[in-house]
Amino acid sequence: MGLSSSQGRLLMLTSRLSDIELGEVMISQRQNTLAWESEKAATEYNEAISNYKLQIKVTDPSEDKGYRKEDVTYNNMTSMGYLVTNANMEIYLQKDENGEWIIPTDLDGKPLLTINSDGKATIGDDTETTYDILDGGTYLSNKNVLQDAIINGLLFVMDTSDLKTGISLTMLQSETDMEYVLDTSDDAEAQSKYECETARISRQDNQLDMELQQLETQHEAIMKEYESVKEVISSNVDRTFGLFSDG
């Protein structure tokens, strides 16, 4: 192989090595992305199987214990005599289709509050204490939103039976008919999703490993040829300069 052709071959091999090394870097980046996706999937799975929900004991004479447990909603909270407030003790209510406040009632049909002519609420026999009313449509119409708000301390519970106001999450189980329990209802779905996601990530990672191994094999073979061509060029240069020196 002549000097000119050897140099051309060396340039081609150098370009090929650069392409392979770029391919290896890209595969490494894709594997890093998969590692992040795997961590994200594990985090979401752990959150799904360790999330909590609120349940309430609803009076039910047909049950042996005299009650049944239900996931907390605004309706079953009010049926058991509880109202929803914020930290300022402003009461959240729902509105009807005419925009009028809906007065919540307990299981016996007794109103939990009275709205005065000034638009403020009073509870029971305590006519001296008044409460401002807010539209709670955002919170009260969706049980998940309501529960999350209570669990995260955005909303509080008011017990109208003895006017215990501002009951927080830590007080719920000991001072109300509500319980803070592990939510297992979504565990099966979370596990199925996690297994599908990890299987996908594993398949892609294995495919990338194979592609990386192929590139590494090519890189090794080309490096050997690269070194061989370099030696040929070096020998040609030495021989050429040797001829000039002899002259």
Side-chain angles (χ1 to χ4, degrees):
M1 182 182 296
L3 183 59
S4 178
S5 59
S6 295
Q7 289 176 332
R9 180 63 177 169
L10 190 67
L11 290 174
M12 185 189 71
L13 293 173
T14 301
S15 176
R16 180 59 181 148
L17 285 172
S18 296
D19 291 342
I20 291 176
E21 290 167 357
L22 176 60
E24 290 174 333
V25 170
M26 293 178 66
I27 288 177
S28 178
Q29 290 176 341
R30 289 163 63 189
Q31 287 181 318
N32 287 337
T33 299
L34 289 178
W36 177 83
E37 291 177 357
S38 179
E39 182 177 350
K40 180 174 179 287
T43 299
E44 290 177 348
Y45 174 65
N46 288 330
E47 289 177 350
I49 63 174
S50 59
N51 60 327
Y52 284 79
K53 65 180 179 180
L54 290 174
Q55 287 195 324
I56 188 170
K57 297 176 183 178
V58 178
T59 301
D60 187 348
S62 66
E63 297 288 338
D64 293 337
K65 294 181 178 180
Y67 65 84
R68 66 182 184 275
K69 289 184 178 181
E70 297 179 356
D71 290 350
V72 163
T73 66
Y74 176 66
N75 288 336
N76 58 29
M77 282 182 64
T78 56
S79 73
M80 294 303 295
Y82 301 109
L83 292 172
V84 178
T85 76
N86 59 21
N88 297 322
M89 302 317 302
E90 296 167 313
I91 298 174
Y92 287 98
L93 295 181
Q94 291 178 314
K95 289 185 175 182
D96 61 20
E97 58 185 12
N98 297 318
E100 301 293 329
W101 295 120
I102 300 175
I103 306 299
T105 58
D106 61 18
L107 286 174
D108 297 324
K110 179 182 177 181
L112 299 187
L113 54 81
T114 301
I115 299 179
N116 301 329
S117 58
D118 59 0
K120 294 183 180 293
T122 58
I123 299 174
D125 297 329
D126 182 9
T127 57
E128 299 298 324
T129 305
T130 61
Y131 303 88
D132 289 329
I133 302 173
L134 298 177
D135 186 354
T138 301
Y139 294 114
L140 307 183
S141 60
N142 185 304
K143 75 171 185 177
N144 293 325
V145 174
L146 174 62
Q147 289 192 26
D148 286 344
I150 295 174
I151 289 173
N152 292 311
L154 299 177
L155 295 180
F156 296 88
V157 178
M158 175 186 286
D159 185 352
T160 61
S161 64
D162 57 7
L163 291 185
K164 287 182 178 179
T165 59
I167 297 176
S168 65
L169 179 62
T170 56
M171 301 165 63
L172 285 175
Q173 190 154 337
S174 61
E175 299 196 23
T176 73
D177 293 316
M178 280 176 255
E179 296 178 328
Y180 187 51
V181 299
L182 190 66
D183 184 2
T184 60
S185 62
D186 57 352
D187 286 4
E189 180 181 354
Q191 182 174 357
S192 176
K193 179 181 177 181
Y194 176 68
E195 290 175 352
C196 289
E197 187 67 3
T198 52
R200 176 191 68 81
I201 292 171
S202 180
R203 287 194 303 270
Q204 293 186 5
D205 194 41
N206 289 336
Q207 179 63 36
L208 291 175
D209 280 338
M210 292 176 58
E211 293 178 9
L212 183 60
Q213 186 175 3
Q214 291 174 352
L215 289 178
E216 289 174 347
T217 300
Q218 293 177 32
H219 190 278
E220 183 179 355
I222 292 174
M223 277 300 299
K224 289 180 179 179
E225 185 177 358
Y226 179 85
E227 294 298 331
S228 176
V229 173
K230 279 183 65 177
E231 289 181 7
V232 170
I233 292 175
S234 179
S235 296
N236 284 339
V237 170
D238 290 342
R239 188 164 52 252
T240 300
F241 279 99
L243 290 174
F244 285 115
S245 297
D246 292 339

